[in-house]
Amino acid sequence: MEGGVSRLVRLVEELVSIPTYALLGSAGGRIVYLSTKEGVVSLWSLDPASGETARLTEAPVSGAAPTRPESPHVVFTRDVSRGRELHRILYADAAGGEEKPVSDAPPMRVFALAFDGERVAFTGATAEEMAIYMARLGGGWEKLYSLDTMAFVTDVEGDYIVGYGNLRHDPRTNEIFVYRISTGEMEVYTPRDGSNNKAPRLSGGRVLFESNFEGRSRLYVYDPDSGVLERAGFSHGDYDAYDPVEHDAYGWHEGIVWAVAKKEGRSRLFLDGREVPTPRGTIHGVPAFLHGRIYVAVSNISEPPRIYEASPGSGEPRVVVDNRLPEWIAERLQRAWFARYRSFDGLWIPVYVVEGSSERPGPGVVYVHGGPWSEVRDMWSVMLASIAAAGFNVVAPNFRGSTGYGDEFRTMDIGDPGGRDLGDVVEARRWGIEQGILDPSRVAVMGYSYGGYMTLLAMGRHPNLWRCGVAGASVADWEEMYGMSDAIFKKFIEVLFAGRRELWRERSPSTYADKVSAPLCLIHPQNDTRTPLKPVLRYMEKLLDHGKVFEAHIVPDMGHVLTTMEEAVKMLLPALIFLDKHLRAGAEPSTPPAP
Ligand code: 4NP
């Protein structure tokens, strides 16, 4: 393959300057979305009639609440701690103008928020506790309810705040909650013990949510006043015929239920059960309904997000905001496909492949996604695109514990992180070789966050399988990390391990630092408060003590979540230069110096 650092610099620069788009809905007669168009995650709005756009924020945005069509305001969060994820909540007008603070609430980790046009309900974490809060635009704020578990606010309207989480303290289930603002009563609701219930949305005092209590995940409507539960009924049959596995989003539009339903890493939009045709891939965010029209942002692995106008039953969606790759990059991303392989114990594992190398078998990367409750899907990913466009074949398994394939599959890693899920990653390499995609002598393992964790574990427990490894924002030691975590991430680790602390040592990469034998590249944001740097520094000391070959890139003024293109360059470029050096045909494996 064509090598050279300058080529990689050009590649990364071109890729990070491809904007992303994710819709938040409509507000003030405009479509509102998050985009990286000017180099930072920012809020934008668009008048689809004139095509005129407005940039609503300057400094990077961390998160935003779905908009309310009847309100001109857009509510969002911003990290004010150089990446430590202490957020302030602000709002802007959808037409533009100055952004303003929602209230003077102290900065904290805001991990979910909802907006009803006047009030913002949110779940926030400090070092000590998680709680539900309420703030008024330009007014005061109050703590409403202390949570002793991981739970997320998803909507606020009238007398209710609703959300869901691990409310019964069973690590394998989620329940919804209905909080009555006037009385302070908290109802935890589940249709059946042991079921998973998620992301409730309110309309006229009724609660729309996803549940798997009858088997497959479906949408239900619950009335908290009468206690009556009904299946969401549709007038059209497309939704049932599609038979989705999960939902990315849903809600009501003028009393009619819409759903972004998903299966095998792709999503489709349904309105009253009727499909609204959209291009193949993933719908980013929610649909925006405006002046009788429907707008969606859609991408796939080989094509970055575009904004489309779509309508039920009619043919081709119309491009409203286009987005194109340079030809030389598009060519490298053409061969992308989905498959399943059988893992060591017979379990079928879904996997995405992007053949970016001109060789087959060629130099390749087993890419391990983060989360772990996340997935690689048919969706634009600057990380996957950069590895493939740099000329490598990428095998990206959705190891057990991934989302997208049902709750039974998703919960298979609970009580077993770094166990059978790591087995699935090892099997992905074997499968990629069997398929003739991966050259067995030139396979790297790479990932960010939980994927960085799995990378380090794979390098220490299966050292002979990898030519090299790249671990971004990784977990090196569970006990050390737990000690540094705030209230929500302590809970996260407890749920992930199902309380089995006795596994922490066995499942920590630090236990196997002396076993690493291939070159390792560690990239870490200095101010990361999810996967903190300190345990990784200690891991590096162990690598040094054992004379291991590694390189380390510690990126200052940056946290776990990337919000600027500059940050993306700082994470991606060292990774690609390292892969290029170690996976190039004929490259000699580095010999560790004598300790
Ligand atoms: P993620 O980061 O992969 O980006 O979701 C993580 C943060 C925390 C933990 C794992 C992954 N944890 O186990 O605490």
Side-chain angles (χ1 to χ4, degrees):
M1 60 168 276
E2 187 194 335
V5 170
S6 55
R7 176 182 158 275
L8 295 173
V9 171
R10 189 157 72 92
L11 173 71
V12 171
E13 280 189 343
E14 296 229 26
L15 278 175
V16 300
S17 63
I18 303 292
T20 59
Y21 298 101
L23 303 196
L24 294 166
S26 69
R30 302 171 70 88
I31 301 169
V32 179
Y33 51 97
L34 285 163
S35 176
T36 56
K37 215 164 108 177
E38 299 285 339
V40 301
V41 179
S42 201
L43 278 166
W44 291 75
S45 72
L46 164 71
D47 173 4
S50 68
E52 178 256 332
T53 61
R55 183 172 173 186
L56 311 183
T57 55
E58 291 295 323
V61 165
S62 300
T67 53
R68 292 278 178 176
E70 64 278 11
S71 166
H73 301 306
V74 187
V75 171
F76 62 97
T77 62
R78 173 172 299 136
D79 186 314
V80 291
S81 59
R82 294 175 182 271
R84 292 178 183 85
E85 296 189 70
L86 300 177
H87 304 105
R88 277 210 188 277
I89 305 177
L90 303 110
Y91 71 103
D93 191 284
E98 230 172 87
E99 46 177 75
K100 302 186 184 91
V102 163
S103 74
D104 57 355
M108 66 179 99
R109 190 192 298 275
V110 174
F111 52 89
L113 77 166
F115 175 53
D116 72 352
E118 289 163 10
R119 301 171 298 178
V120 182
F122 60 100
T123 19
T126 61
E128 294 80 31
E129 71 160 0
M130 288 163 279
I132 300 170
Y133 296 82
M134 178 91 107
R136 279 183 181 277
L137 258 54
W141 64 280
E142 62 181 318
K143 189 199 295 179
L144 297 179
Y145 192 87
S146 288
L147 291 162
D148 56 357
T149 189
M150 204 161 54
F152 309 87
V153 161
T154 51
D155 210 356
V156 53
E157 193 184 280
D159 196 30
Y160 298 125
I161 296 173
V162 294
Y164 73 106
N166 182 229
L167 295 154
R168 290 214 172 151
H169 304 275
D170 176 338
R172 290 176 184 80
T173 70
N174 283 287
E175 294 75 34
I176 65 168
F177 71 77
V178 179
Y179 177 85
R180 284 175 200 256
I181 298 164
S182 57
T183 62
E185 278 170 277
M186 179 62 126
E187 181 194 357
V188 171
Y189 177 74
T190 178
R192 181 174 63 73
D193 284 347
S195 63
N196 270 284
N197 305 280
K198 295 174 196 162
R201 306 277 300 157
L202 285 161
S203 179
R206 293 184 307 156
V207 181
L208 175 68
F209 68 105
E210 184 194 77
S211 178
N212 73 345
F213 85 100
E214 292 182 308
R216 230 147 150 84
S217 290
R218 286 294 175 263
L219 299 179
Y220 296 86
V221 178
Y222 173 62
D223 181 339
D225 279 335
S226 64
V228 172
L229 176 73
E230 292 175 335
R231 180 95 167 246
F234 300 125
S235 313
H236 300 270
D238 297 347
Y239 172 93
D240 286 328
Y242 177 57
D243 192 20
V245 174
E246 292 175 359
H247 304 81
D248 280 332
Y250 39 82
W252 272 284
H253 171 64
E254 295 175 348
I256 294 170
V257 171
W258 59 266
V260 176
K262 67 189 277 213
K263 191 163 75 177
E264 293 186 342
R266 292 177 179 159
S267 58
R268 295 189 192 183
L269 174 62
F270 298 88
L271 185 60
D272 197 14
R274 185 183 191 191
E275 183 168 359
V276 179
T278 52
R280 171 184 63 76
T282 294
I283 296 169
H284 293 233
V286 300
F289 298 91
L290 189 64
H291 307 314
R293 300 203 155 93
I294 304 171
Y295 300 89
V296 286
V298 185
S299 78
N300 59 52
I301 281 195
S302 338
E303 293 177 296
R306 296 188 182 98
I307 301 177
Y308 298 85
E309 181 187 310
S311 36
S314 88
E316 282 287 290
R318 184 175 72 86
V319 175
V320 178
V321 177
D322 205 359
N323 202 353
R324 291 192 177 275
L325 293 174
E327 202 59 39
W328 69 286
I329 294 178
E331 267 170 32
R332 293 284 194 182
L333 304 180
Q334 279 314 300
R335 282 171 301 157
W337 44 284
F338 174 79
R340 290 177 201 262
Y341 61 88
R342 259 187 200 283
S343 195
F344 61 91
D345 58 353
L347 186 71
W348 286 97
I349 303 297
V351 59
Y352 273 94
V353 175
V354 191
E355 296 185 50
S357 171
S358 39
E359 296 173 70
R360 201 180 199 280
V365 174
V366 173
Y367 174 79
V368 191
H369 70 72
W373 302 308
S374 180
E375 69 196 273
V376 171
R377 42 196 299 182
D378 196 6
M379 179 175 96
W380 180 250
S381 152
V382 72
M383 186 95 85
L384 276 190
S386 64
I387 306 168
F392 305 114
N393 291 333
V394 189
V395 172
N398 284 316
F399 47 87
R400 69 194 68 194
S402 300
T403 53
Y405 302 90
D407 284 300
E408 193 188 336
F409 191 78
R410 180 184 58 79
T411 52
M412 279 183 179
D413 60 348
I414 291 177
D416 187 33
R420 278 165 286 198
D421 55 359
L422 181 65
D424 298 335
V425 169
V426 167
E427 289 294 304
R429 177 187 177 277
R430 178 195 54 73
W431 177 81
I433 292 166
E434 262 174 32
Q435 295 294 306
I437 305 162
L438 301 176
D439 169 352
S441 69
R442 289 182 291 164
V443 184
V445 58
M446 170 169 173
Y448 189 84
S449 193
Y450 193 83
Y453 160 63
M454 294 267 262
T455 295
L456 294 186
L457 206 56
M459 293 284 284
R461 299 200 80 167
H462 304 278
N464 301 322
L465 300 183
W466 318 105
R467 181 66 165 267
C468 65
V470 180
S474 53
V475 176
D477 190 284
W478 289 106
E479 180 152 12
E480 286 176 26
M481 179 160 124
Y482 186 85
M484 297 184 68
S485 298
D486 71 358
I488 185 165
F489 279 101
K490 281 200 164 79
K491 247 337 142 193
F492 190 102
I493 296 168
E494 285 165 20
V495 167
L496 184 58
F497 277 86
R500 299 177 66 195
R501 291 183 183 212
E502 69 278 9
L503 286 180
W504 280 359
R505 180 180 293 272
E506 183 203 313
R507 299 295 165 87
S508 288
S510 58
T511 307
Y512 311 97
D514 63 320
K515 302 286 193 304
V516 172
S517 62
L520 178 59
C521 177
L522 294 155
I523 308 174
H524 215 97
Q526 184 175 354
N527 298 346
D528 196 324
T529 55
R530 298 192 192 197
T531 52
L533 173 63
K534 264 192 187 179
V536 175
L537 290 176
R538 291 206 186 92
Y539 179 80
M540 288 180 203
E541 271 185 43
K542 288 191 181 178
L543 293 175
L544 282 174
D545 288 346
H546 292 96
K548 304 300 179 185
V549 172
F550 71 98
E551 65 179 67
H553 302 261
I554 295 159
V555 187
D557 282 336
M558 189 186 151
H560 193 81
V561 181
L562 278 59
T563 56
T564 71
M565 280 170 22
E566 190 188 326
E567 290 174 342
V569 171
K570 286 176 178 173
M571 299 306 288
L572 288 171
L573 193 55
L576 295 182
I577 293 172
F578 180 88
L579 289 176
D580 193 56
K581 173 176 169 168
H582 292 284
L583 295 182
R584 242 182 304 127
E588 289 301 315
S590 303
T591 322

